[in-house]
Amino acid sequence: GVQAVQTFQHYFKQINLSMASAAVENFLKEDEEVKGFSFENCRRNAFLAKQGAEMPKARKTGTTICGVIFNEGVVLGADTRATGGSIVCDLNCEKIHYIADNVYCCGAGTAADTEFTTKMISSKMELLKLRTGREGRVISALRMLKQYLFRYQGHISAALVLGGVDVNGPALYTVYPHGSTDKLPYVTMGSGSLAAMSVFEDGFKLGMNEEEAKNLVFHAIRAGIVNDLGSGSNVDITVIRKGNVEVFRPYQVVCKKSERAGDYTFPVGTTVVTSSTEMVPFSALTVTDEEVMEIS
């Protein structure tokens, strides 16, 4: 009887130990599941792609815009290249928009969105000035912009740099397409913003004078133009001071068009015509595929 009891106790201990180890293993497994990266969405996306589903693509914008505060005001800068995909649509696009006499705004994103958004806010600022009888404040334009963009949840592709001088002194903000904002002494936006920011972080200092600020903004935009294919052409600069604004368009031409190195005219008969067909009238053609281009 004693031996049977000892045997039973031995097995009971083994069962308890196995149950405890199983519990520890389950706990560790559960703990492991919450740690690290989850690749479930990658597997899901791969499965959907195999089924023929088209994955959404990131929207690419080609622009470098920036701004910096100096001791008497704000300097805004932008490049002038407008692109539609890989095609340069405009060499001299104006990206620094008028909001009020003391407030200007740089726009990156879809050209139509940035232009019409800033025009609408400019109209609202003028109405506010007429109603109150006072000069509009930069924070008023910021509030209008962020509330308008947040309402559309990022579907209006407008990434903005807002700057101006009012009764509170110089102010500089960034406004993202979803409506979030930042207030900083120097800011950059657009696809060339990383190159521009590297110049700012290297050269910015508090209490800069106007010439130092203009030179810093020029080199920041130039860095974006040189390092980003979506940015190019000229550097535009707008200087906002208390009581007056000075626009430099262009401040400097960075991408100068080179002259053709050779003669590209070929005599008739250079290309051999192997066969000829009748001319088909345009009215007889049928559109089989169509693509809408975005200018950004």
Side-chain angles (χ1 to χ4, degrees), residues 18-280:
S18 62
M19 288 175 66
S21 62
V24 170
E25 284 178 8
N26 289 334
F27 176 76
L28 290 173
K29 282 181 182 177
E30 289 175 2
D31 196 38
E32 285 175 2
E33 286 175 2
V34 294
K35 285 183 178 178
F37 294 101
S38 172
F39 294 96
E40 291 179 1
N41 287 341
C42 296
R43 290 193 290 270
R44 179 203 65 186
N45 293 344
F47 171 76
L48 290 173
K50 284 182 181 177
Q51 302 301 315
E54 188 176 348
M55 294 293 106
K57 295 177 181 177
R59 180 170 292 174
K60 298 177 182 177
T61 63
T63 288
T64 305
I65 55 175
C66 67
V68 65
I69 290 177
F70 66 98
N71 54 10
E72 294 178 0
V74 175
V75 177
L76 300 177
D79 73 299
T80 62
R81 174 180 288 181
T83 57
S86 58
I87 299 170
V88 178
C89 302
D90 191 353
L91 296 173
N92 197 24
C93 174
E94 188 173 5
K95 299 183 184 181
I96 305 178
H97 307 280
Y98 172 89
I99 299 290
D101 291 338
N102 60 321
V103 184
Y104 279 73
C105 183
C106 304
T110 303
D113 286 351
T114 58
E115 186 172 344
F116 283 94
T117 298
T118 51
K119 278 186 177 180
M120 183 192 67
I121 299 303
S122 176
S123 175
K124 288 187 175 183
M125 287 291 288
E126 183 63 24
L127 291 172
L128 180 66
K129 181 181 177 181
L130 292 171
R131 187 166 65 247
T132 60
R134 284 183 261 180
E135 183 182 66
R137 299 191 181 185
V138 185
I139 194 70
S140 303
L142 177 74
R143 176 58 65 92
M144 292 176 191
L145 281 168
K146 70 190 296 184
Q147 287 184 339
Y148 177 71
L149 292 174
F150 178 76
R151 194 183 311 147
Y152 287 90
Q153 291 291 296
H155 292 288
I156 293 177
S157 179
L160 309 170
V161 170
L162 181 72
V165 180
D166 55 24
V167 293
N168 297 314
L172 187 63
Y173 301 91
T174 55
V175 188
Y176 292 86
H178 288 80
S180 59
T181 59
D182 293 325
K183 182 181 182 181
L184 295 163
Y186 57 92
V187 297
T188 64
M189 292 286 273
S191 54
S193 61
L194 295 178
M197 182 56 76
S198 67
V199 174
F200 274 164
E201 290 183 342
D202 179 60
F204 177 80
K205 60 183 179 181
L206 292 172
M208 286 191 299
N209 60 38
E210 184 180 322
E211 286 304 316
E212 288 174 329
K214 281 161 62 177
N215 188 53
L216 186 62
V217 167
F218 163 69
H219 282 96
I221 298 297
R222 187 180 181 280
I225 289 172
V226 171
N227 292 284
D228 174 41
L229 290 175
S231 306
S233 297
N234 313 330
V235 177
D236 286 352
I237 283 179
T238 298
V239 181
I240 309 168
R241 311 178 199 89
K242 183 68 176 175
N244 72 318
V245 175
E246 197 171 358
V247 177
F248 299 91
R249 177 165 163 81
Y251 181 78
Q252 189 164 326
V253 178
V254 177
C255 299
K256 294 181 181 177
K257 188 175 180 180
S258 59
E259 295 182 4
R260 295 197 175 201
D263 185 17
Y264 297 97
T265 55
F266 301 97
V268 177
T270 301
T271 304
V272 179
V273 179
T274 56
S275 63
S276 61
T277 56
E278 260 185 61
M279 286 288 290
V280 179

